[in-house]
């Protein structure tokens, strides 16, 4: 019940394309769903987060779509750039307490 | 940059030794969480400290211990190091129940 399943494991997209990363959770008590971006040798950086009272949230080129009934959420990156190449993690928690993380998606944006 | 700092950056130890990792939280934050990130995996929650008290613990043995100081900085101590303890150790600071901001991590190698 504590797992967060993330897919795909890796993703290659042409510059300007829209990579989509998906996550699924089991614990219905989770009420906070952040996405983190991590570059090699660096700590994760918070990109965007959503709570289950909304179905979509946009911040700049990043959008989270949230489907409470399916217990799924996804990250979309609009107009992707080579600088977006990184590992992306979804996570979930109850009250932003103990974050439960997905396994990560290694994203490569080709010029 | 998040304002969360960790030291040292890298550390090499041998099996059976003890190690202390340090974290300075972002100004205004009173909560520190520690995570272990093995190579190619998502972070795993070790424990969290709130106002100098342990506020929850993940599935880690007692040889992983911590401390939070009055200025909200924190230490992670690991005794009797094992080869599997080799990982990136991440510290995240936050105000209670708000977004967690991560430091750059300490890369621990156990030989």
């Amino acid at each position: 019940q504590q797992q967060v399943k993330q897919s795909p494991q890796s993703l290659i997209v042409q510059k300007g394309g829209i990579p989509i990363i998906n996550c699924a959770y089991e614990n219905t008590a989770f009420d906070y769903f952040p996405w983190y971006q991590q570059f090699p040798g660096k700590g994760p950086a918070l990109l965007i987060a959503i709570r289950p009272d909304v179905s979509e949230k946009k911040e700049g080129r990043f959008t989270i779509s949230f489907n409470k009934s399916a217990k799924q959420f996804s990250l979309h990156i609009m107009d992707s750039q080579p600088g977006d190449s990184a590992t992306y993690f979804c996570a979930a928690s109850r009250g932003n307490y103990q974050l439960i993380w997905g396994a990560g998606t290694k994203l490569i944006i080709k010029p | 940059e998040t304002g969360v700092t960790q030291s040292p950056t890298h550390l090499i130890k041998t099996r059976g030794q003890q190690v202390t990792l340090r974290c300075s939280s972002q100004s205004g934050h009173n909560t520190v969480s520690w995570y272990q990130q093995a190579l190619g995996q998502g972070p795993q929650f070790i424990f969290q400290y709130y106002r100098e008290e342990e506020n929850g613990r993940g599935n880690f043995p007692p040889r992983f211990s911590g401390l939070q100081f009055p200025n909200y900085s924190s230490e992670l101590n690991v005794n009797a190091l094992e080869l599997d303890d080799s990982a990136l150790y991440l510290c995240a600071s936050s105000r209670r129940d708000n977004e967690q901001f991560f430091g750059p991590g300490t890369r621990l190698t156990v030989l």
Side-chain angles (χ1 to χ4, degrees):
Chain A
Q1 269 229 324
Q2 286 288 81
Q3 276 191 315
V4 175
K5 294 182 180 179
Q6 183 172 345
S7 63
Q9 190 173 12
S10 62
L11 187 56
I12 301 174
V13 173
Q14 289 293 131
K15 177 183 172 184
I18 305 175
I20 300 172
I21 305 171
N22 300 297
C23 284
Y25 64 97
E26 299 170 356
N27 189 341
T28 54
F30 288 154
D31 61 1
Y32 176 71
F33 304 90
W35 284 91
Y36 283 85
Q37 178 190 58
Q38 188 176 31
F39 292 104
K42 303 288 186 182
L46 179 65
L47 268 179
I48 185 172
I50 198 168
R51 300 204 182 259
D53 51 344
V54 296
S55 60
E56 186 176 276
K57 183 175 180 180
K58 291 182 181 181
E59 283 187 7
R61 297 185 294 110
F62 301 96
T63 299
I64 298 180
S65 297
F66 186 82
N67 186 328
K68 188 174 180 178
S69 60
K71 292 187 285 185
Q72 295 176 348
F73 58 111
S74 60
L75 176 70
H76 302 231
I77 305 175
M78 311 302 287
D79 187 28
S80 58
Q81 301 296 315
D84 296 328
S85 298
T87 299
Y88 291 80
F89 291 95
C90 63
S93 69
R94 183 176 181 181
N96 192 26
Y97 161 55
Q98 173 182 338
L99 287 173
I100 307 299
W101 297 70
T105 296
K106 186 172 182 179
L107 174 65
I108 297 172
I109 306 298
K110 286 194 164 183
Chain B
E1 299 299 322
T2 63
V4 180
T5 61
Q6 291 186 244
S7 63
T9 306
H10 296 89
L11 203 52
I12 299 175
K13 292 285 189 178
T14 56
R15 266 189 314 175
Q17 284 189 311
Q18 178 266 341
V19 69
T20 297
L21 311 182
R22 294 177 176 82
C23 171
S24 291
S25 57
Q26 189 171 321
S27 178
H29 289 182
N30 55 17
T31 302
V32 171
S33 303
W34 286 92
Y35 294 83
Q36 180 196 65
Q37 186 178 21
L39 203 60
Q41 297 182 25
Q44 299 288 318
F45 175 75
I46 302 174
F47 43 56
Q48 183 183 81
Y49 278 84
Y50 170 65
R51 291 188 176 181
E52 303 179 60
E53 297 287 331
E54 187 177 291
N55 185 44
R57 186 180 187 92
N59 190 26
F60 280 82
R63 59 189 185 85
F64 286 77
S65 64
L67 204 56
Q68 188 179 32
F69 300 99
N71 66 354
Y72 303 126
S73 65
S74 178
E75 285 183 355
L76 164 65
N77 299 290
V78 187
N79 293 323
L81 284 167
E82 301 177 0
L83 296 180
D84 284 349
D85 295 334
S86 295
L88 181 68
Y89 287 85
L90 296 163
C91 160
S93 80
S94 62
R95 286 178 296 193
R96 187 83 185 269
D97 288 345
N98 282 280
E99 288 83 358
Q100 296 184 26
F101 295 90
F102 284 80
T106 294
R107 172 70 63 188
L108 173 64
T109 301
V110 182
L111 302 176

